[in-house]
Amino acid sequence: MSILIKNGRIITATDDYTADIFIEGETIKAIGIDLNMTADQIIDASGKLVMPGGIDPHVHLDMPFMGTYSSDNYETGTRAALYGGTTTVIDFVLQTQGKSLQSALQEWKGRSDNNAVSDYSFHMAVTDFNEETKVEIRHFIENEGITSFKTFMAYKGALMIDDRQMIGLMEEVKKHGGLINVHATNGDMIDYLIQKHRSEGKLAPLYHYLSQPEVTEAEASERFVDMANYTGCPGYIVHLTCEGALNAVRNATRRNQNVFVETCIQYLLLDASLYEQNFEGAKWVMSPPLREKKDQETLWAGLNQGLVNVVATDHCPFMWEQKLIGVDDFSKIPNGHPAIENRMELLFSEGVNKGRITLNKYVEVASTNAAKIFGMFPKKGTIAVGSDADIVIFDANETHTLSAKTHHMNVDYSGYEGWEVKGKVKTVLLRGKIAIDNNECKISKGYGQFVKRNKVQGMI
Ligand code: URP
Ligand code: ZN
Ligand code: ZN
């Protein structure tokens, strides 16, 4: 099967030009002006943007969490990702404390194998670092193609590891060419504040926010970058939300250490005033919580300063009925918010169309940097000869309204209900196949492949 995309405006993290793209099989074979190859199918992309498929390196599909499961499974979640222009996602395998990394991987494969529509990969979340876990690290990096290891400095009693384990893990991961991802908030402080609020009868979603003040994130981010600096291990802070935490990274970069930062679309666009409305605020109960307007400013600036490298989603949807588990106690509300389908269009509309970031920066933070940081570049994350033909054809001017009535995520509310968005995904190609066209998904579950990732270079 061959496809010729004609006359599109091709945007990568560095380039902006009009040309044709010839695709044969799964990869891009040629790029040029007025290509005269014969193809099975021709797509006219005149007047449209042609960009690399989005990469969302932070999603939770079918994840057992807080007594329930995130409501998008591999099929629904990866299909929704494609509708929104994301062609590759990276999910988190969670080790069960007391069990091996390998047994967790088998459990996740049981849910993902033959079910994904988009391409996907895994980070391995280490929740119990000990002598047995230690010997598994090398195998994951060298044989499984899983080169990033997630750690939680919070969720005390469930997922959190202590600094002793963190240092040991960092040394092992560095030795074999991997990277540590971190949920950097101070778990002990948060645990204390949650119990304090509960004992005072303060049980509304607002107290989720008040139990995780900025200092809990700033402190843990600084501690993490110091440990990463000491061990020399490349680090990646997931879902960074605030000025205090970003300033910790700003200081770290003065000593030239390898630490990358991800924020998520919700932290750029939404703020903590959403918690001031009784239980409705549960829609946005996530960790860390939404912050203040001044933090949004910091994050947008951080993108342009090259300090914030990736915009992800932390997609972790729960049906409203699941959120109601915490109707009498904010600490029981399953943490997470749906966005896998909305990220690319929202970032374009609020970022590019409102003049906050350039088109090149958009591609960089929505696709290219994640591919580079996580060992998938240039197979993924760019439009180049030899790269996978993961391509989004995008109308920069079409407006539409986000709603749970029309989205494809398996969740019965939208965190962005009624938002007017300027910019629309029209056609998506995944490894040379038309995946989305005219609001219709053309591929089935099982087409999505697991992406084995390379060792991490710690540079982008
Ligand atoms: O609220 C969140 N973020 N839920 C998913 C788990 C995590 O901490 O990333
Ligand atoms: Zn987290
Ligand atoms: Zn997460």
Side-chain angles (χ1 to χ4, degrees):
M1 176 74 185
S2 57
I3 297 179
L4 186 59
I5 303 175
K6 298 282 296 171
N7 291 319
R9 181 174 165 199
I10 299 171
I11 314 289
T12 68
T14 48
D15 298 312
D16 181 346
Y17 58 100
T18 298
D20 303 341
I21 302 173
F22 180 67
I23 297 157
E24 202 169 40
E26 297 196 342
T27 55
I28 297 172
K29 286 283 153 50
I31 303 174
I33 294 170
D34 291 333
L35 291 181
N36 62 0
M37 279 98 165
T38 330
D40 298 320
Q41 191 170 352
I42 294 181
I43 300 175
D44 179 11
S46 320
K48 306 279 192 314
L49 303 177
V50 178
M51 301 184 282
I55 299 176
D56 187 346
H58 191 156
V59 306
H60 301 279
L61 303 175
D62 220 347
M63 176 176 77
F65 189 53
M66 297 185 73
T68 183
Y69 279 77
S70 54
S71 61
D72 260 322
N73 61 25
Y74 266 81
E75 182 181 357
T76 62
T78 56
R79 188 167 47 225
L82 285 169
Y83 272 106
T86 291
T87 48
T88 304
V89 301
I90 315 184
D91 193 9
F92 293 84
V93 176
L94 301 185
Q95 177 191 19
T96 302
Q97 290 176 344
K99 291 194 178 169
S100 68
L101 302 184
Q102 193 53 235
S103 68
L105 179 61
Q106 292 318 314
E107 192 188 324
W108 255 256
K109 280 185 173 172
R111 292 195 279 268
S112 61
D113 276 1
N114 303 314
N115 283 325
V117 192
S118 78
D119 282 357
Y120 66 102
S121 189
F122 292 139
H123 306 284
M124 182 71 231
V126 179
T127 62
D128 188 3
F129 184 68
N130 53 44
E131 286 308 310
E132 285 90 59
T133 322
K134 187 173 170 180
V135 296
E136 294 189 87
I137 300 294
R138 180 181 186 166
H139 168 75
F140 270 73
I141 294 176
E142 299 202 337
N143 305 318
E144 302 286 1
I146 297 177
T147 53
S148 44
F149 297 84
K150 169 79 175 287
T151 54
F152 293 90
M153 295 169 84
Y155 298 120
K156 195 171 165 63
L159 302 169
M160 179 169 152
I161 60 168
D162 60 22
D163 294 349
R164 188 177 186 281
Q165 293 182 76
M166 181 72 89
I167 290 281
L169 177 62
M170 281 178 167
E171 287 191 336
E172 199 59 22
V173 167
K174 177 189 158 55
K175 191 155 70 184
H176 300 296
L179 168 146
I180 300 278
N181 306 14
V182 67
H183 172 128
T185 59
N186 184 316
D188 282 306
M189 279 178 82
I190 293 168
D191 192 52
Y192 169 78
L193 290 170
I194 290 173
Q195 299 320 329
K196 181 170 180 276
H197 287 132
R198 291 177 76 216
S199 70
E200 292 167 355
K202 294 172 174 165
L203 299 168
L206 176 66
Y207 292 95
H208 170 79
Y209 165 63
L210 294 174
S211 298
Q212 301 199 32
E214 178 172 9
V215 63
T216 60
E217 192 179 334
E219 185 281 327
S221 301
E222 183 145 5
R223 188 157 33 102
F224 175 79
V225 291
D226 283 346
M227 288 187 281
N229 183 51
Y230 174 72
T231 58
C233 186
Y236 177 97
I237 301 179
V238 304
H239 55 38
L240 185 141
T241 69
C242 58
E243 190 181 11
L246 194 62
N247 282 341
V249 178
R250 203 183 302 276
N251 281 338
T253 55
R254 290 168 60 192
R255 60 191 176 203
N256 197 21
Q257 80 177 87
N258 285 330
V259 55
F260 303 106
V261 172
E262 165 199 286
T263 191
C264 297
I265 190 69
Q266 58 271 28
Y267 301 119
L268 289 164
L269 304 184
L270 306 176
D271 68 73
S273 61
L274 288 166
Y275 299 122
E276 285 162 15
Q277 36 173 344
N278 296 333
F279 194 67
E280 191 75 6
K283 288 179 180 169
W284 300 278
V285 163
M286 62 185 85
S287 292
L290 300 173
R291 301 282 184 203
E292 309 292 324
K293 294 256 190 262
K294 60 107 181 148
D295 298 300
Q296 295 177 0
E297 302 281 316
T298 301
L299 295 175
W300 284 110
L303 288 169
N304 286 316
Q305 292 159 347
L307 278 173
V308 178
N309 311 102
V310 171
V311 179
T313 58
D314 193 7
H315 176 74
C316 190
F318 296 99
M319 293 286 186
W320 187 241
E321 197 185 355
Q322 294 174 287
K323 288 280 185 183
L324 284 171
I325 296 170
V327 70
D328 295 324
D329 178 351
F330 72 87
S331 71
K332 297 197 168 60
I333 301 169
N335 284 202
H337 143 282
I340 203 167
E341 184 172 352
N342 307 133
R343 176 186 70 121
M344 300 281 286
E345 290 176 343
L346 278 170
L347 185 63
F348 190 90
S349 186
E350 296 291 320
V352 180
N353 268 335
K354 292 199 173 164
R356 289 164 163 148
I357 55 172
T358 65
L359 266 171
N360 297 118
K361 178 59 81 175
Y362 172 75
V363 172
E364 185 188 322
V365 298
S367 176
T368 314
N369 278 350
K372 288 182 175 174
I373 293 168
F374 294 113
M376 296 186 282
F377 187 84
K379 176 181 167 65
K380 304 286 188 193
T382 194
I383 293 183
V385 172
S387 295
D388 281 0
D390 296 349
I391 292 174
V392 176
I393 302 177
F394 196 88
D395 185 332
N397 297 311
E398 187 172 325
T399 54
H400 59 116
T401 306
L402 301 183
S403 172
K405 291 193 191 79
T406 47
H407 73 204
H408 302 85
M409 299 176 283
N410 186 41
V411 56
D412 52 4
Y413 73 89
S414 169
Y416 306 91
E417 190 67 41
W419 275 54
E420 287 285 324
V421 172
K422 187 171 173 197
K424 176 114 184 69
V425 170
K426 301 301 288 181
T427 305
V428 178
L429 277 76
L430 175 60
R431 280 180 288 103
K433 240 186 165 172
I434 295 183
I436 302 291
D437 199 27
N438 261 329
N439 279 322
E440 232 184 273
C441 186
K442 305 282 188 189
I443 54 175
S444 310
K445 71 173 186 174
Y447 183 74
Q449 280 182 3
F450 179 75
V451 182
K452 273 192 160 189
R453 294 183 285 113
N454 297 322
K455 286 191 182 184
V456 166
Q457 295 186 336
M459 282 176 282
I460 52 175

